Amino acid sequence: MRFLRMLVAIGSAAVLASAAGCGGSAPESTPPPSAAPPSRPPGIPPPPDVAAPPANATKTPSGIAWIIVKPGTGTIHPKATSTVTVHYTGWKTDGEMFDSSLTRGEPAEFPLDGVIKGWTEGLQLMVLREKRRFWIPGPLAYDLIPDPSKPKGMLVFDIELIDIK
């Protein structure tokens, strides 16, 4: 208790000395800290094989490589015209995460004919509740889309198929 009173006394003395400042004037006001820019949700660490597909990955004729991370429970595959509900995370091959439904806390819903070609092709291979990791070559991702905000080059996605409409 004696130690606590000593700390309080030292703290009070420091505050009084600070308020006295030079020549007894009030201390200079410190501007409030600037508002921090909105932060992105924390990233999801990349899988260890993000840089390139492993030797056991299956490859489609178009160049998409994939592995099954978690087997599914269904037998029905989405069609190119289906709307799917998925959880997904996307990384560049350097490990930088650029998008994720998981960090937003809710699954995403997409018409398969309205997404990148690699997704349209890849998701048609999946069944309900299946989770796959895809390595999608740039031309089947965003390389041919003239939008500088979109990542370029091969992209890696973990996708879990939740629903098919």
Side-chain angles (χ1 to χ4, degrees):
M1 186 70 156
R2 188 170 155 205
F3 179 70
L4 183 58
R5 273 186 256 163
M6 190 165 59
L7 281 178
V8 170
I10 291 170
S12 298
V15 169
L16 290 173
S18 165
C22 240
S25 63
E28 291 181 24
S29 64
T30 307
S34 61
S39 62
R40 275 182 72 166
I44 294 172
D49 52 10
V50 73
N56 66 334
T58 303
K59 203 168 189 181
T60 67
S62 67
I64 298 172
W66 57 268
I67 59 170
I68 295 176
V69 175
K70 182 182 89 176
T73 58
T75 57
I76 299 171
H77 299 268
K79 298 177 175 80
T81 55
S82 298
T83 295
V84 296
T85 303
V86 297
H87 260 310
Y88 71 94
T89 300
W91 298 272
K92 298 184 211 177
T93 54
D94 67 1
E96 178 188 344
M97 185 191 91
F98 61 88
D99 196 11
S100 178
S101 64
L102 294 169
T103 60
R104 290 189 295 275
E106 61 183 88
E109 186 174 284
F110 298 109
L112 275 185
D113 57 4
V115 294
I116 59 174
K117 291 178 183 181
W119 271 51
T120 303
E121 180 181 340
L123 267 88
Q124 290 181 77
L125 302 171
M126 297 179 71
V127 296
L128 282 176
R129 298 292 173 202
E130 182 177 351
K131 183 176 182 180
R132 287 195 191 200
R133 180 166 303 137
F134 292 99
W135 288 262
I136 300 178
L140 298 177
Y142 296 108
D143 282 8
L144 305 177
I145 299 171
D147 181 346
S149 70
K150 300 294 185 192
K152 305 299 183 199
M154 181 182 296
L155 302 178
V156 181
F157 289 94
D158 277 1
I159 303 173
E160 181 179 7
L161 181 57
I162 297 170
D163 194 19
I164 305 167
K165 294 178 187 171

